């Protein structure tokens, strides 16, 4: 025994789960797709969808998996159960694409963009309670997909803390833009 442990994963059997993430009419590109064993275990997988919404998950251990998808700015999909004993095809995961958007920027007190800050919206009005989550891009811009309702918009700006838009944002059959979040000063 030299103290070295050798693993050979080249012979590890894998099965695949293939399908599409859709909004009900067309595929959704760049959605995150995941699989996990709800009873615990060593199996799990993660991938992104192609431009047409197609995905293939590599499953290392046979068993029952919960499979779901999400895309920043959209509500998550309900998870579905799939029994993986062989390769599985034709799995369809639906993400509900809300009809409207709330968009804007997250800025520092000097109106400079804050990149990669988490942004979220929540409501308890309209079609029921709901939330949408996203992240600013490299220019500090964000877009959240929402339905009709009165939404509270917040962000977690690194170095500044939680920022909340001054007023609730009302979505009534139209999107809202230029909902910018900015601290009063550059300190928490």
């Amino acid at each position: 025994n030299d103290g070295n442990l050798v693993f050979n994963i080249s012979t590890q059997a894998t099965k695949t789960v293939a399908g599409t993430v859709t909004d009900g009419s067309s595929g959704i590109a760049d959605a995150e797709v995941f699989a996990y064993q709800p009873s615990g275990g060593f199996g799990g997988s993660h991938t992104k969808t192609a431009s047409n919404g197609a995905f293939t998950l590599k499953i290392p251990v046979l068993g029952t998996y919960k499979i779901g998808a999400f895309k920043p700015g959209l509500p998550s999909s309900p998870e579905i159960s799939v029994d993986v004993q062989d390769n599985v095809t034709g799995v369809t995961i639906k993400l509900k694409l809300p009809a409207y958007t709330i968009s804007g920027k997250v800025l520092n007190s000097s109106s400079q963009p804050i990149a990669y800050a988490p942004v979220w919206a929540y409501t308890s009005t309209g079609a029921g309670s709901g939330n949408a989550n996203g992240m600013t891009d490299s220019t500090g811009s964000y877009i959240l997909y929402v339905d009709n309702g009165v939404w509270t918009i917040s962000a977690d700006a690194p170095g500044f803390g939680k920022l909340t838009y001054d007023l609730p944002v009302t979505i009534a059959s139209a999107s809202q833009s230029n909902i910018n979040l900015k601290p009063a000063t550059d300190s928490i």
Side-chain angles (χ1 to χ4, degrees):
N1 184 351
D2 61 2
N4 290 324
L5 186 59
V6 178
F7 290 96
N8 183 356
I9 62 172
S10 65
T11 59
Q12 181 180 6
T14 60
K15 299 297 179 188
T16 60
V17 174
T20 306
V21 176
T22 178
D23 63 6
S25 61
S26 59
I28 297 178
D30 297 319
E32 304 281 339
V33 183
F34 59 88
Y36 68 94
Q37 292 182 305
S39 59
F42 297 102
S45 187
H46 178 267
T47 191
K48 274 188 150 185
T49 58
S51 61
N52 63 355
F55 69 88
T56 300
L57 290 165
K58 292 181 181 179
I59 304 295
V61 178
L62 301 180
T64 300
Y65 287 80
K66 290 284 191 176
I67 298 176
F70 65 92
K71 183 169 181 173
L74 294 177
S76 296
S77 74
E79 295 175 355
I80 58 174
S81 289
V82 176
D83 186 21
V84 181
Q85 299 302 320
D86 204 346
N87 293 332
V88 178
T89 60
V91 173
T92 300
I93 301 172
K94 291 185 181 176
L95 287 175
K96 180 184 176 283
L97 184 61
Y100 308 107
T101 61
I102 297 172
S103 61
K105 289 185 173 271
V106 176
L107 307 166
N108 66 20
S109 63
S110 301
S111 298
Q112 297 301 307
I114 299 176
Y116 311 113
V119 182
W120 63 93
Y122 62 90
T123 185
S124 58
T125 66
S129 63
N131 65 44
N133 300 296
M135 181 88 57
T136 61
D137 62 15
S138 61
T139 68
S141 299
Y142 72 89
I143 185 167
L144 301 172
Y145 296 87
V146 298
D147 285 318
N148 286 326
V150 179
W151 295 85
T152 300
I153 314 301
S154 297
D156 183 11
F160 301 98
K162 181 179 176 185
L163 305 175
T164 300
Y165 193 67
D166 295 336
L167 302 169
V169 176
T170 300
I171 301 296
S173 301
S175 295
Q176 295 284 336
S177 60
N178 295 317
I179 307 300
N180 300 327
L181 293 103
K182 178 179 166 182
T185 66
D186 272 342
S187 60
I188 296 179

